[in-house]
């Protein structure tokens, strides 16, 4: 479909499939940039405090113990979503807290030590700007 308006000082052309393909390509590229931005923020600014065997206070991001959590943070594209997180079994427990028995029967009463949600919330405007414009500055 094409819509051309003349005599108004401008001309508009609309090509549905081609235009949507370009928009989708740009959104895809920008979502990847946003995911990479969050991964880098987590690795650089949140999960880099050395714990030396001591846990972080409840409510604060987890201290770095082995470095496995930091190494596991990644982005993944699932359909139209860009997901950022970790595949480690304890990553969710750190973020949300956990009370009860794990799959091995070990009992936990672990308060949350959120790291992902606060990082996303803190950077909402930057993330939106990256998705809309492709620029992280």
């Amino acid at each position: 479909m094409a819509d051309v308006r003349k005599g108004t000082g401008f001309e508009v052309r609309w090509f549905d499939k081609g235009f949507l393909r370009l928009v989708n390509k740009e959104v895809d590229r920008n979502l990847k940039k946003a995911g990479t931005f969050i991964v880098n923020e987590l690795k650089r600014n949140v999960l880099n405090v050395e714990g030396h065997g001591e846990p972080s206070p409840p409510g604060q991001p987890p201290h770095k113990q082995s470095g496995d959590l930091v190494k596991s943070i990644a982005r993944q594209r699932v359909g139209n979503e860009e997901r950022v997180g970790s595949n480690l079994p304890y990553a969710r427990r750190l973020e949300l807290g956990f009370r009860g028995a794990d799959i091995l029967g070990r009992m936990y009463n672990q308060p949350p030590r959120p790291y992902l949600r606060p990082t996303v919330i803190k950077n909402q405007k930057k993330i939106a700007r990256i998705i809309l414009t492709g620029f992280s500055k």
Side-chain angles (χ1 to χ4, degrees):
M1 178 174 108
D3 182 18
V4 180
R5 300 184 190 265
K6 293 186 178 184
T8 60
F10 65 93
E11 182 177 305
V12 176
R13 292 185 184 264
W14 180 269
F15 301 97
D16 287 337
K17 290 181 182 177
F19 176 75
L20 290 176
R21 204 172 14 252
L22 288 173
V23 168
N24 286 334
K25 187 176 180 181
E26 187 66 19
V27 168
D28 184 57
R29 186 176 17 245
N30 292 348
L31 283 172
K32 287 178 185 175
K33 287 179 183 179
T36 300
F37 170 76
I38 289 297
V39 167
N40 291 338
E41 283 294 299
L42 285 166
K43 289 182 175 186
R44 185 175 36 242
N45 299 325
V46 179
L47 299 174
N48 63 0
V49 177
E50 293 291 337
H52 304 291
E54 293 296 319
S56 62
Q60 297 296 312
H63 284 167
K64 183 177 173 183
Q65 303 296 335
S66 67
D68 290 342
L69 180 60
V70 174
K71 291 177 207 166
S72 74
I73 299 294
R75 64 171 190 78
Q76 178 185 22
R77 190 62 185 264
V78 179
N80 290 330
E81 296 178 1
E82 187 74 13
R83 296 182 182 178
V84 174
S86 169
N87 61 356
L88 291 177
Y90 60 85
R92 180 179 171 90
R93 187 176 74 226
L94 286 169
E95 178 76 19
L96 302 175
F98 181 76
R99 187 175 190 170
D102 70 3
I103 196 165
L104 299 174
R106 298 174 294 195
M107 295 300 292
Y108 287 93
N109 184 10
Q110 183 176 13
R113 287 168 171 82
Y115 57 95
L116 183 57
R117 289 176 298 157
T119 302
V120 171
I121 291 167
K122 177 183 173 189
N123 290 287
Q124 281 181 31
K125 289 182 181 178
K126 288 181 183 177
I127 295 166
R129 190 175 327 121
I130 293 168
I131 293 170
L132 294 174
T133 66
F135 298 112
S136 60
K137 295 178 182 176

